[in-house]
Structures are given as C-alpha cells and as structure tokens.
Amino acid sequence: MQNKVYHRVEQITGNVVVVKADDVIAGELAQVEAALGTSLAQVIRLEGENVFLQVFAGGRGISTDAKVRFLGKTMQVPFSENLLGRVFTGSGEPRDNGPTITENMIEIGGPSVNPAKRIIPRNMVRTGIPMIDVFNTLVESQKLPIFSVAGEPYNELLAQIALQAEVDVIILGGMGLKHDDYLYFRDKLDESGALSRSVMFVHTASDPTVECTLVPDVSLAVAEKYALEDKRVLVLLTDMTNFADAMKEMAITMEQIPSNRGYPGDLYSQLAARYEKAVDFEGSGSITILAVTTMPGDDVTHPVPDNTGYITEGQFYLKNGRIEPFGSLSRLKQQVNDRTRDDHRIIMDTMIQLYANYKETLEKQSMGFRMSDWDTKLLKYGEQFEESMMDITVNTPLEEALDNGWKIMADCFQPAETGIASKYTDKYWPKA
C-alpha cells in the first residue's frame, strides 16, 4: 500500500489527533511529524472521513499543520532467536541499547486458536513454589490471574516463577511499571541466568499510554511463534489493571460512552481476547499465562478482576505476602495431580483441612477460649505450615514439598488424627 501524507490536523485532544483521510484501516500505523520531532501513532477509531490517531509520544508540540503519513501496515514485532535475553518497549523498540531487530516481522493482535484445534491440558508446569505445585497446580495452556492489592510482592512472585518454572521460554510483559520495578525484573533475571531464555516487553509509567495497551498483544504474538516451534512458553503479565486503565483513558479521550466505573463497554471482550491466547498445540508447544490483576481497595467486584474471573480457569490470591489457600483455585489441577505421586491429592486435601482448623483455633484463642490438647497441636501445625509451605521465596521440588508435608504432620499429630487412610500413612509417614 502506498504511503499517504496529510497536512492538516482537524482536532487535537490530549494524545489523540483527528485527520480526514480515506482508505485507512483500524490499527494502522502512522508517522506524525511536528515541531518537537516525529512520533509513531496508531489508528484507534474510524468515524466517516475522520480518523482518530493515538500518538505514542503524546500530543505536546503538535499543531494543525503537522504532517501525518500513514504507513499502510498495522503494528508488527520482529521474531527470531535473537529476541532471547533482550528487553524492548511496548512498541517493540530496544530498551537495552542493543541493536534493532527488523527480520521476520509478524503482526500482533491476531485471533486466538480455533477451539476445535485445542487439546485437553495434560502437563504440569513446575514452579518450585509449594502453594502452587502442591495445592493449586499450574497446568500447561492454563490462564490464571494473580489477584492482589497494591503493596503486595506480586512482582517478586512473578520474578521467582520466572527463575524457577520448568519451561523453555519466559515472555515478561510489564505494564505501567515503576522504573525500579523494571530494573528489579531485569537484574533478577540477569543475575540468575534466566534472562538468556527470556524476552521482556516493558512499558513504564512514564511511557506513552498507547504502548501499555500493546504489551499483551506483542508478548502473546511472540509467544505464539515460539510455541509453534515446539517451545513451552510461560507468559507473565503485570499488571492487567494498568492495561484496562490505559484503555479507559483512551476511551474517555475519544468520548466513548463509559460503562461500569468509566471503563469501556467492551472490557470483557478486550481481556478475553488476550487470555484466550493460552493454548496447547497438538504436536507442538504451548502458551501458559499468569497475569497480575491488582484490585483497587481490595475489591474483587471491581470491573477488572470481576470480568477476569469469568474468563480464566481459577485465580491465585496474594495476601500478606503469601498465596492465600482459601479462595485460590486452579480449576485444571485435577488434570495432572493424579499423575504426579499417589499421595499428592491426599496431602493437598488433608493439609488444607488442618489449616482451616488452625484458623478456627486462632479465632477461639483471640476470644479467650481455653486451648485443648488438639488446639495446641493445631497451633503448632499452623505455624509450621505457614513457614514451610506458604513462603513464596522458596524453591522446593514437588516431591520434596510432599515429603515436607508428611514431616510437618508427623511432627504435630498421630497418624489417626489426620484422617488419612492407613495405606498412605504406612507408606509415607516418617518413621520415628
């Protein structure tokens, strides 16, 4: 398509400019030449002859006589093995001062895989974190959010998973990150050697808003190409609430009719279009998605976590620096935890039941009730459970975590007190 140049801007509203043009497609890229330099822009709305463009560098310095050159293509990102170990912006430009990659450009934001072509998830993704591997197992091709509030160590959790997950490629998409958080991810992966199998697409809070909305699409487009090359890919996204807020900001600028709390009416569809990219390809690789979703005011009915819950296959709740066992759920764990070790489900069910009893005992203790011998055992058990099993900074293989579960129970209870069948206690209960 031949590049078209227009010399008149009809309207400037914040970072959005309007020009009258024809033969333009939604999502097409353009260059806007203004007094302060040239910036990329993207078509975000078509209304008759009016074309609305979101300018990546912002609207500052743009005048009505600015030149707008349409490039005849939508947003693309390069794909090659040279991406590994690199850090890019949300629009695919190098952030690490490395060379620009221009080979094998692929379009972003394509459709998700045909449901008829999907296969049933069947493989576990080991993370080394007991609260995930033992109690809410992550499965290949699963899409799971991490619900959290501001101040929780969700970035630390994602970094830990990136270091320990038994996958081939890590794609990290950061949205609205503080510069310190971006440096934390980069340095943490670099120090551990995990950067060599990772690709980072990072949008910081000071970057253009439109780049925030590109990060999931860019990350997932690259992930899909790696998966088709027989790679097990784990996509880590932080924070999808920032992504939704960026969409809200753009929708308000375009004077769209707002929906719940000012978010655009298609919020559910926009989130689903990204999460549904999770897939296990028959005879090839897979894409697994873990995405942080912060809850303003710890409100799970906020539009972003509320809509997310209808799309994903469970959720992790991060509270007080730990993955909360109550409320956290992996709906696909039963696909794999019957093939790990025969005591996996027994440990999972029994330890959570005993931990629930421990929580009840804490309430009794806080109200001044007299503690029985059973209550004393539960208090001892709960402390050991939180210390050994709920720590998100550990790296414990599944089998070791299961053995550790037996040790904790043996240290606090008699076999009969746990309610576990004797065929399991005879086999796994630690000998005195």
Side-chain angles (χ1 to χ4, degrees):
M1 185 183 295
Q2 190 175 10
N3 292 354
K4 303 178 287 291
V5 182
Y6 296 86
H7 297 268
R8 177 171 174 77
V9 174
E10 302 291 333
Q11 181 181 328
I12 304 170
T13 308
N15 298 334
V16 177
V17 300
V18 180
V19 298
K20 289 188 181 296
D22 54 14
D23 199 19
V24 176
I25 61 175
E28 185 173 341
L29 292 179
Q31 284 182 337
V32 179
E33 297 179 25
L36 298 181
T38 302
S39 171
L40 271 181
Q42 186 178 34
V43 177
I44 56 175
R45 183 180 177 186
L46 298 172
E47 192 177 88
E49 289 185 344
N50 291 332
V51 178
F52 292 73
L53 292 154
Q54 179 86 23
V55 184
F56 285 28
R60 186 164 174 253
I62 296 178
S63 61
T64 54
D65 62 351
K67 290 182 181 179
V68 179
R69 180 191 303 273
F70 290 94
L71 303 181
K73 62 181 181 181
T74 56
M75 185 66 195
Q76 295 179 321
V77 65
F79 171 75
S80 77
E81 292 299 321
N82 296 328
L83 291 179
L84 294 174
R86 296 291 306 277
V87 184
F88 301 91
T89 65
S91 56
E93 297 297 320
R95 189 183 282 277
D96 55 5
N97 298 321
T100 301
I101 302 175
T102 56
E103 60 195 76
N104 195 20
M105 302 296 288
I106 57 174
E107 291 193 358
I108 70 170
S112 57
V113 176
N114 184 341
K117 299 293 184 182
R118 295 170 182 258
I119 60 176
I120 296 174
R122 57 195 174 191
N123 297 314
M124 174 183 175
V125 178
R126 290 173 177 254
T127 66
I129 297 174
M131 287 308 298
I132 296 177
D133 290 356
V134 176
F135 300 101
N136 280 296
T137 313
L138 182 63
V139 184
E140 269 189 51
S141 81
Q142 193 167 13
K143 43 191 180 288
L144 274 180
I146 301 172
F147 289 158
S148 175
V149 295
E152 291 289 348
Y154 49 82
N155 288 331
E156 287 82 350
L157 174 59
L158 283 191
Q160 198 73 16
I161 292 172
L163 299 186
Q164 300 170 187
E166 294 184 11
V167 294
D168 300 316
V169 178
I170 298 286
I171 308 287
L172 176 66
M175 290 161 276
L177 290 181
K178 292 186 292 187
H179 196 69
D180 288 349
D181 291 333
Y182 152 58
L183 294 178
Y184 170 79
F185 275 118
R186 188 195 65 185
D187 295 344
K188 185 85 171 176
L189 295 178
D190 196 18
E191 290 166 6
S192 65
L195 192 60
S196 61
R197 62 165 184 165
S198 306
V199 185
M200 294 177 63
F201 294 99
V202 175
H203 166 269
T204 65
S206 61
D207 291 335
T209 302
V210 67
E211 282 192 15
C212 184
T213 65
L214 296 175
V215 168
D217 290 335
V218 170
S219 302
L220 292 164
V222 171
E224 192 169 281
K225 287 295 183 181
Y226 276 118
L228 290 171
E229 292 189 352
D230 204 21
K231 304 285 189 185
R232 301 171 70 203
V233 185
L234 178 60
V235 179
L236 304 174
L237 300 174
T238 176
D239 160 14
M240 290 302 285
T241 302
N242 287 339
F243 166 78
D245 287 342
M247 286 202 311
K248 177 166 80 170
E249 184 179 327
M250 291 167 57
I252 290 172
T253 303
M254 291 189 296
E255 299 180 352
Q256 289 184 3
I257 298 173
S259 182
N260 192 4
R261 299 201 197 183
Y263 287 93
D266 64 345
L267 176 63
Y268 177 91
S269 300
Q270 294 284 2
L271 292 172
R274 277 77 186 179
Y275 281 114
E276 290 298 338
K277 290 280 190 174
V279 64
D280 196 347
F281 290 105
E282 181 72 65
S284 193
S286 63
I287 301 173
T288 308
I289 299 175
L290 270 180
V292 170
T293 299
T294 52
M295 302 182 295
D298 200 13
D299 180 13
V300 75
T301 66
H302 182 275
V304 181
D306 188 34
N307 280 280
T308 300
Y310 289 103
I311 301 165
T312 54
E313 294 134 354
Q315 66 280 323
F316 294 144
Y317 281 97
L318 190 62
K319 291 185 178 179
N320 302 317
R322 297 164 172 161
I323 296 176
E324 184 68 30
F326 310 119
S328 296
L329 172 66
S330 168
R331 291 194 179 97
L332 299 184
K333 62 185 177 184
Q334 70 275 8
Q335 301 288 108
V336 296
N337 62 12
D338 61 337
R339 292 183 280 112
T340 49
R341 210 169 81 175
D342 62 343
D343 63 328
H344 187 159
R345 290 182 173 177
I346 295 296
I347 288 288
M348 177 183 71
D349 294 338
T350 305
M351 293 198 79
I352 291 297
Q353 182 179 352
L354 290 169
Y355 187 68
N357 293 339
Y358 158 72
K359 286 291 192 180
E360 291 179 2
T361 298
L362 282 183
E363 290 186 16
K364 289 167 60 179
Q365 187 182 48
S366 67
M367 291 186 287
F369 282 77
R370 184 172 61 86
M371 294 290 99
S372 65
D373 290 342
W374 174 244
D375 289 328
T376 304
K377 290 181 177 182
L378 286 172
L379 290 172
K380 180 181 178 182
Y381 166 80
E383 291 174 2
Q384 291 193 28
F385 181 86
E386 290 181 345
E387 182 180 341
S388 299
M389 305 296 277
M390 296 181 72
D391 187 354
I392 63 173
T393 64
V394 300
N395 185 3
T396 308
L398 172 65
E399 290 74 19
E400 185 180 323
L402 293 174
D403 291 340
N404 195 29
W406 286 108
K407 290 176 185 175
I408 292 171
M409 289 191 291
D411 192 37
C412 302
F413 309 107
Q414 294 298 318
E417 292 176 318
T418 63
I420 298 175
S422 57
K423 69 175 182 178
Y424 292 107
T425 54
D426 292 345
K427 183 177 180 180
Y428 292 106
W429 197 268
K431 301 296 185 287

